[in-house]
């Protein structure tokens, strides 16, 4: 797994950042089911059950204090029991949705509200995981050789 550096500029939501990360990863490595984007003091993990469509699960790990921490706590309270906020290794971890919960529409709403409380970095280090691994068909391989006038296969 390679780590890529991506400048996304000033984006309005975590979902926009993840969409840009996905576009970059599809070009470089294929379609991921999991994306991990890291920047100083924040890490976002987005996962989905399938290879296409919206991401269903988000985990935001942030090293925050003061007003930023209060904002995360407020967003967690506002979401009811749909998300959880815990402390781990000196960072705060927000899971959207919380374990055992599922409401895709509300998840997107909560994730989109996050940037209103805490400014998001413009440069991220990203890693894709759980890529689709399609088996190579021998027949398709030989058809491609004929089409591209290949002399051999390695």
């Amino acid at each position: 797994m390679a780590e890529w550096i991506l400048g996304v500029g000033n984006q309005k939501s975590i979902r926009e950042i993840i969409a840009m990360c996905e576009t970059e990863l599809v070009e470089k490595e294929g379609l991921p089911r999991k994306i991990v984007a890291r920047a100083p003091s924040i890490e976002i993990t987005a996962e989905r059950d399938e290879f296409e469509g919206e991401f269903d699960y988000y985990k935001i790990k942030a090293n925050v204090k003061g007003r930023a921490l209060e904002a995360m706590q407020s967003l967690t309270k506002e979401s009811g029991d749909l998300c959880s906020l815990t402390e781990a290794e000196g960072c705060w971890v927000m899971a959207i949705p919380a374990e055992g919960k599922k409401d895709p529409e509300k998840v997107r709403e909560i994730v989109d509200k996050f940037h209103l409380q805490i400014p998001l970095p413009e440069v991220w280090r990203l890693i894709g995981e759980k890529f689709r691994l399609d088996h190579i068909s021998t027949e398709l391989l030989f058809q491609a050789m004929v089409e591209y006038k290949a002399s051999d296969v390695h």
Side-chain angles (χ1 to χ4, degrees):
M1 263 179 304
E3 181 177 78
W4 303 94
I5 297 175
L6 180 64
V8 298
N10 187 12
Q11 297 302 314
K12 295 185 188 249
S13 81
I14 287 173
R15 290 188 323 125
E16 287 180 13
I17 292 170
I18 293 298
M20 293 174 84
C21 291
E22 179 184 19
T23 300
E24 189 72 17
L25 286 169
V26 166
E27 285 180 22
K28 310 265 193 247
E29 297 187 57
L31 209 51
R33 282 184 33 214
K34 180 178 180 181
I35 295 175
V36 179
R38 293 184 182 104
S41 76
I42 189 168
E43 176 181 292
I44 300 167
T45 304
E47 289 190 70
R48 57 186 166 198
D49 295 328
E50 302 299 325
F51 287 101
E52 295 178 2
E54 292 281 338
F55 285 87
D56 304 308
Y57 311 98
Y58 293 85
K59 184 171 79 172
I60 303 164
K61 182 178 178 183
N63 185 2
V64 293
K65 301 178 208 169
R67 205 177 113 215
L69 175 56
E70 290 171 12
M72 284 180 79
Q73 290 168 332
S74 170
L75 189 57
T76 303
K77 277 184 192 171
E78 184 182 312
S79 73
D81 63 348
L82 190 61
C83 66
S84 65
L85 184 64
T86 55
E87 188 176 14
E89 302 170 12
C91 292
W92 289 93
V93 180
M94 182 181 232
I96 313 166
E99 188 77 28
K101 305 288 181 188
K102 194 161 185 176
D103 185 346
E105 203 58 42
K106 286 287 272 181
V107 166
R108 287 190 280 277
E109 186 181 312
I110 293 166
V111 170
D112 285 343
K113 284 182 180 179
F114 189 87
H115 88 283
L116 299 172
Q117 309 293 333
I118 298 172
L120 298 172
E122 295 184 10
V123 178
W124 297 84
R125 293 181 175 276
L126 61 121
I127 297 172
E129 297 178 15
K130 300 180 181 177
F131 290 97
R132 181 188 329 239
L133 299 175
D134 293 331
H135 296 287
I136 297 174
S137 161
T138 308
E139 184 177 333
L140 289 176
L141 182 62
F142 286 116
Q143 286 176 359
M145 286 180 63
V146 170
E147 182 179 340
Y148 295 108
K149 297 177 175 59
S151 60
D152 50 357
V153 176
H154 296 273

